Amino acid sequence: FVQDLRQACVTPHVAQKARFSAINGRTTRHEGYALSQRCRKKIDLRRGTQVHQQSR
């Protein structure tokens, strides 16, 4: 997925795995990547809250 994005000249903003990650320092050093990950966390927290509330 990440390779396909890079071939299309798109910067991937997916989460970085601890080992064997397709995301390297070339991507993570940019301010936009950090901003994207903070937004992603907020979205994931909201989804988790909604899923939890629906299962009650």
Side-chain angles (χ1 to χ4, degrees), residues 5-43:
L5 288 175
R6 287 197 172 131
Q7 286 177 351
C9 297
V10 175
T11 301
H13 284 201
V14 295
Q16 184 180 29
K17 296 190 302 186
R19 296 181 67 195
F20 308 112
S21 181
I23 302 297
N24 57 20
R26 179 177 67 180
T27 301
T28 58
R29 70 174 170 237
H30 296 286
E31 187 177 330
Y33 180 81
L35 177 64
S36 175
Q37 294 306 300
R38 285 193 300 270
C39 291
R40 176 189 177 123
K41 183 176 181 178
K42 290 178 186 177
I43 292 167

